[in-house]
Amino acid sequence: MPGPAPTPPWSGETAALVTQVVDELTRRLARDAPHPPADLVDTAGDARRHALARLRVLRDVRLAVRRLEDQAAHAAAASGAGYPEIGQALSMSRQGARRRWPGLITNSTPTPPSPESRSL
């Protein structure tokens, strides 16, 4: 089994860049929304409506990231990674990864049938 994946030295820089990009994206999507959602139309000011619209966009971003993590975990498992490596990549324990993706890692090595199970 391969050893744990090293943490890249630029991971802090990556997080800062992703934060900046997501912040810009959510502000733009919230600002460019043609109409605020019906439940946000009330006597609240523009700042409140904008902040609530941004929260809705950030919720959608979180769901999208979760789907992308699922896809990447499946690809990692298909490439031979185990729960310890997948957990480490997400800064979680092996058990945490196993709870999030139960059954993701399976022992696909077929076992030969026992002599008792063969029909004559």
Side-chain angles (χ1 to χ4, degrees):
M1 179 157 84
T7 303
W10 61 87
S11 63
E13 294 171 18
T14 301
L17 177 61
V18 169
T19 299
Q20 180 182 355
V21 169
V22 170
D23 182 48
E24 181 181 326
L25 174 67
T26 57
R27 288 180 189 279
R28 185 178 306 157
L29 290 173
R31 181 186 65 233
D32 294 346
H35 303 287
D39 59 337
L40 296 181
V41 177
D42 59 12
T43 58
D46 287 341
R48 179 179 174 192
R49 282 194 301 273
H50 180 73
L52 291 171
R54 248 185 108 217
L55 281 172
R56 288 175 185 252
V57 171
L58 285 166
R59 176 204 58 206
D60 293 343
V61 167
R62 184 179 65 240
L63 293 172
V65 167
R66 187 85 171 192
R67 282 191 297 271
L68 292 171
E69 283 179 344
D70 291 346
Q71 291 171 5
H74 282 85
S79 298
Y83 283 118
E85 294 170 289
I86 293 170
Q88 184 181 23
L90 290 168
S91 298
M92 66 171 53
S93 67
R94 173 191 59 80
Q95 294 88 347
R98 185 180 211 114
R99 269 186 245 117
R100 176 147 175 210
W101 296 286
L104 179 66
I105 310 298
T106 59
N107 185 358
S108 61
T109 307
T111 56
S114 65
E116 298 83 34
S117 66
R118 292 184 193 167
S119 60
L120 296 174

